[in-house]
Amino acid sequence: MENEIRKLIGLFCSDVLMHYFCEKLTQSMTDSLVIIPTYNEIENIEAIILEVFNLKKEFHVLIVDDNSPDGTAKVVEAMQEKYKDRLFLEVRTEKSGLGTAYIHGFKWALERHYAYIFEMDADFSHRPSDLTRLYRACANGADVSVGSRYKKGVNVVNWPLYRILLSYGASFYVKLITGMRVHDPTAGFVCYKRKVLEAIDLDAVKFIGYAFQIEMKYRAYLLKFNIEEVSIIFTDREKGKSKMSSSIIWEAVFGVISMRVRSLFNRNAFKNE
Ligand SMILES: Nc1nc2c(ncn2[C@@H]2O[C@H](COP(=O)(O)OP(=O)(O)O)[C@@H](O)[C@H]2O)c(=O)[nH]1
Ligand SMILES: [Mg+2]
């Protein structure tokens, strides 16, 4: 793509001008967008964005904020003055769940040029430096790369035992019910190639919590995309509060069964609802 642009500009411009245009174009045209959903993340938001922007590879960032009462979006708006070409913000009117925030972000990304679209939490549970490893896995052939806590043992730091058991148990449950061989199906640190999000019927994805993460992977799996796991260390947040709730757990428990039943009885409908 970059070479083609260079050739095209070269038809019209001198070498010096061509260099200038290419610098400008590639500055604002990275292939990668990191979507970060936020609800009351004022203590983390600035630091996480800066850490992504400090990586060697260039990533754009889209924050999807649900009108956080703590003013998270205001911090992002202030940062946009400095990073207007690479920091984007979508504010929704009310808290509507992580799943629909991502669907909103995916559609936003597909309306633009991005080839690699990432999911990442705002609370530093996912290390921004691992974005590059997820990117590499997809650039080298995977269609979806998943930052996996359970690919090699259990790589979770500072989580209470009940949360580790819940999350680790969920991975067995999902494997048992769906047959999908992903060690960490509830993982929320993911890179999707553009073609995967284009193939999935995003309007049909209705879950909002962990079930959303499972459903996205299951849909990609049913569409025969190649899902690869990259081992990561997941660390519990130090600042701010978790938004996990019992309703999110129940949604996952019943959601996985309902997904499996729908896919059994109406495989095509599940793929293209
Ligand atoms: N926009 C939006 N973001 C959310 C919502 N719920 C959680 N998040 C964000 O999703 C990410 C993961 O949430 P978190 O509370 O850390 O979940 P946990 O890691 O499972 O405890 C964080 O960046 C949250 O701010 C929501 O309803 N809307
Ligand atoms: Mg968290």
Side-chain angles (χ1 to χ4, degrees):
M1 173 81 168
E2 192 182 321
N3 281 341
E4 270 134 34
I5 293 168
R6 275 176 193 276
K7 268 189 221 149
L8 199 68
I9 295 172
L11 289 176
F12 302 104
C13 304
S14 71
D15 272 3
V16 178
L17 269 178
M18 188 167 109
H19 180 74
Y20 173 81
F21 278 129
C22 282
E23 285 292 298
K24 282 280 159 213
L25 274 167
T26 48
Q27 253 172 27
S28 57
M29 272 194 62
T30 179
D31 55 1
S32 299
L33 176 75
V34 182
I35 304 172
I36 306 180
T38 55
Y39 191 76
N40 286 347
E41 296 289 359
I42 198 154
E43 290 138 301
N44 294 307
I45 193 67
E46 185 174 6
I48 194 99
I49 292 170
L50 290 178
E51 206 165 312
V52 175
F53 287 165
N54 280 335
L55 295 172
K56 204 159 160 222
K57 172 171 167 52
E58 183 174 349
F59 292 91
H60 285 182
V61 171
L62 170 68
I63 305 295
V64 183
D65 184 69
D66 281 359
N67 213 354
S68 299
D70 71 355
T72 301
K74 290 266 177 304
V75 177
V76 180
E77 275 164 18
M79 291 180 79
Q80 277 183 307
E81 286 179 21
K82 184 165 177 198
Y83 299 105
K84 66 175 179 334
D85 292 341
R86 51 194 305 203
L87 176 59
F88 307 97
L89 171 66
E90 290 282 288
V91 180
R92 305 191 302 167
T93 50
E94 59 186 31
K95 188 174 188 316
S96 315
L98 170 132
T100 59
Y102 272 126
I103 297 293
H104 186 99
F106 292 156
K107 288 181 177 173
W108 189 97
L110 293 178
E111 283 164 12
R112 291 162 181 82
H113 63 275
Y114 300 103
Y116 301 89
I117 297 140
F118 297 74
E119 294 182 359
M120 189 175 85
D121 289 356
D123 59 1
F124 285 96
S125 286
H126 305 137
R127 290 184 306 199
S129 57
D130 287 329
L131 285 167
T132 318
R133 296 172 62 226
L134 292 179
Y135 173 76
R136 235 180 280 132
C138 275
N140 289 336
D143 298 315
V144 180
S145 60
V146 177
S148 177
R149 294 162 287 195
Y150 311 126
K151 188 182 174 191
K152 291 184 197 145
V154 179
N155 292 313
V156 177
V157 179
N158 281 347
W159 244 11
L161 185 63
Y162 86 91
R163 285 218 60 181
I164 299 180
L165 291 176
L166 202 63
S167 169
Y168 199 61
S171 61
F172 278 104
Y173 178 68
V174 171
K175 218 177 290 170
L176 186 76
I177 307 275
T178 65
M180 177 171 67
R181 305 225 155 269
V182 174
H183 294 91
D184 193 353
T186 60
F189 197 19
V190 185
C191 174
Y192 292 97
K193 266 192 183 150
R194 180 185 188 89
K195 65 176 179 185
V196 178
L197 297 181
E198 281 173 341
I200 291 175
D201 180 358
L202 297 175
D203 288 324
V205 180
K206 292 282 186 281
F207 294 127
I208 60 169
Y210 295 122
F212 164 80
Q213 299 295 2
I214 299 165
E215 179 174 11
M216 285 297 297
K217 293 177 192 78
Y218 191 48
R219 286 181 182 270
Y221 163 83
L222 288 180
L223 289 164
K224 308 231 176 323
F225 285 115
N226 167 22
I227 304 174
E228 228 174 73
E229 287 182 89
V230 172
S231 194
I232 60 142
I233 296 171
F234 177 100
T235 310
D236 192 18
R237 63 162 74 235
E238 286 178 3
K239 295 178 179 161
K241 285 202 187 83
S242 167
K243 283 99 212 166
M244 217 256 310
S245 64
S246 57
S247 66
I248 285 177
I249 299 171
W250 287 116
E251 181 197 54
V253 172
F254 295 116
V256 170
I257 294 179
S258 109
M259 255 171 19
R260 180 66 182 137
V261 170
R262 275 186 292 153
S263 72
L264 270 181
F265 286 104
N266 205 344
R267 211 173 160 88
N268 286 332
F270 187 73
K271 283 185 196 171
N272 299 306
E273 275 167 339

